[in-house]
Amino acid sequence: MTNRLSGKRVFITGAAQGIGKAIAEAYAAEDARLFLVDRDETLLEETAAALASKGTVLGFQAADISDASAIEAAVGKAEEQIGSINALVNNAGVNVFAEPLQTTDEEWQRCFDINLKGAWHCCRSVLPYLISEGGGVILNIASTHAFTIIPHTFPYPLAKHALLGMTKSLGIEYAPQNVRVNAIAPGYVSTQKVIDYWNSFPDPEKAKADTMKLHPGGRIATPQEIAMAAVFMISDECSFMNATCLTIDGGLSVMQHQ
Ligand SMILES: NC(=O)c1ccc[n+]([C@@H]2O[C@H](COP(=O)([O-])OP(=O)(O)OC[C@H]3O[C@@H](n4cnc5c(N)ncnc54)[C@H](O)[C@@H]3O)[C@@H](O)[C@H]2O)c1
């Protein structure tokens, strides 16, 4: 590796497993300092310990991103432990999938509290640090659900559409302060979240095979394939990309038919 992220002090949510963990590992390999947040304390401690054992400078805090005061406190702790934050990766998210007319108020609330408002809590707490640092970067992990719809996944795509809207809005608002705000839209990625999705079908093996068949290349992404783009997008090599979204789905959302 080439120390592409030396000097970056990155706050990453949902970092205990899946895409967030892969991003943390890729950033650590490029010499970033990290502050990891996840609501799964046990997994978070394991991930942090594994990274620390390889020499990564990091801190971590178990917190739920839907809790604004917990996030505010975590950002303060991050500054004490790794220095003033100059990059944020809003990765934590959950699937909330229902039929529109069957969606309960509780499901609606949980979907937006985590997938949209949680990301906003982190932006609101971190932005003053980015501005006082003379600039910085926010990377939101959206989804191809931010611009396409899979039936029976309501209201998750609504929250991801709005997360893309927030990416554009904050990118424009804070460009004069040298803050870049972008998103990655992954398609299917092999994480626990997707395994849980397949397991929600009567025949999970068939559901998995059907997902693979949807893709022009016959497979889905690894978390590392998302993480390598995430390295570039917070790096100084990416200095003029702002208020936009990079799709990483193996071509799925462009293909009209198999
Ligand atoms: N896996 C995919 O196919 C896929 C595709 C497109 C987008 N995404 C998005 O990528 C992100 C990561 O997904 P993943 O597949 O790695 O998921 P995952 O379930 O494997 O990991 C998500 C992590 O986030 C944590 N988390 C969830 N809610 C939280 C909360 N409220 N506060 C703090 N931590 C919380 C979980 O504990 C978990 O460790 C999500 O935003 C997801 O919507 C995933």
Side-chain angles (χ1 to χ4, degrees):
M1 291 292 177
T2 50
N3 295 342
R4 289 161 75 191
L5 300 181
S6 292
K8 300 290 182 204
R9 296 175 295 278
V10 196
F11 191 94
I12 307 175
T13 69
Q17 62 181 320
I19 296 170
K21 179 180 176 183
I23 290 174
E25 290 169 342
Y27 285 6
E30 293 292 355
D31 198 37
R33 292 181 175 203
L34 306 177
F35 193 86
L36 312 180
V37 170
D38 202 289
R39 66 179 177 185
D40 187 326
E41 190 163 12
T42 309
L43 268 186
L44 180 64
E45 282 176 8
E46 279 173 25
T47 299
L51 285 167
S53 74
K54 292 182 192 150
T56 305
V57 177
L58 62 81
F60 65 93
Q61 176 67 50
D64 191 316
I65 59 166
S66 64
D67 180 344
S69 56
I71 291 305
E72 186 76 42
V75 172
K77 184 174 169 187
E79 188 193 18
E80 285 165 24
Q81 296 196 336
I82 64 163
S84 188
I85 295 298
N86 55 21
L88 162 66
V89 180
N90 277 314
N91 166 76
V94 288
N95 284 350
V96 182
F97 293 170
E99 294 288 332
L101 291 178
Q102 305 295 324
T103 306
T104 64
D105 285 350
E106 185 278 334
E107 287 170 324
W108 176 279
Q109 193 69 37
R110 191 162 61 89
C111 181
F112 282 87
D113 276 356
I114 298 175
N115 292 319
L116 182 61
K117 204 171 175 199
W120 167 237
H121 291 153
C122 297
C123 290
R124 191 172 60 187
S125 294
V126 165
L127 269 165
Y129 290 91
L130 306 191
I131 293 166
S132 73
E133 282 282 305
V137 53
I138 296 175
L139 178 60
N140 296 321
I141 306 302
S143 168
T144 46
H145 285 264
F147 40 79
T148 60
I149 300 292
I150 300 174
H152 319 306
T153 64
F154 189 91
Y156 176 82
L158 283 65
K160 291 295 189 183
H161 273 67
L163 184 61
L164 189 50
M166 187 168 80
T167 302
K168 295 175 185 174
S169 173
L170 296 179
I172 298 307
E173 294 281 358
Y174 295 102
Q177 283 84 15
N178 197 30
V179 174
R180 301 189 295 109
V181 187
N182 292 300
I184 290 177
Y188 288 89
V189 186
S190 56
T191 68
Q192 189 57 45
K193 198 156 92 69
V194 167
I195 294 167
D196 292 344
Y197 172 64
W198 289 328
N199 285 338
S200 72
F201 288 83
D203 183 347
E205 279 308 312
K206 181 179 180 308
K208 180 176 175 180
D210 288 348
T211 300
M212 300 300 172
K213 265 190 262 161
L214 284 176
H215 289 73
R219 70 170 181 93
I220 65 174
T222 64
Q224 290 71 28
E225 287 174 312
I226 308 305
M228 292 318 293
V231 168
F232 170 64
M233 288 175 78
I234 73 151
S235 77
D236 296 340
E237 299 157 16
C238 189
S239 48
F240 205 58
M241 184 188 283
N242 183 34
T244 194
C245 179
L246 181 65
T247 300
I248 308 177
D249 68 351
L252 173 64
S253 60
V254 173
M255 185 175 59
Q256 206 166 65
H257 283 293
Q258 278 288 16

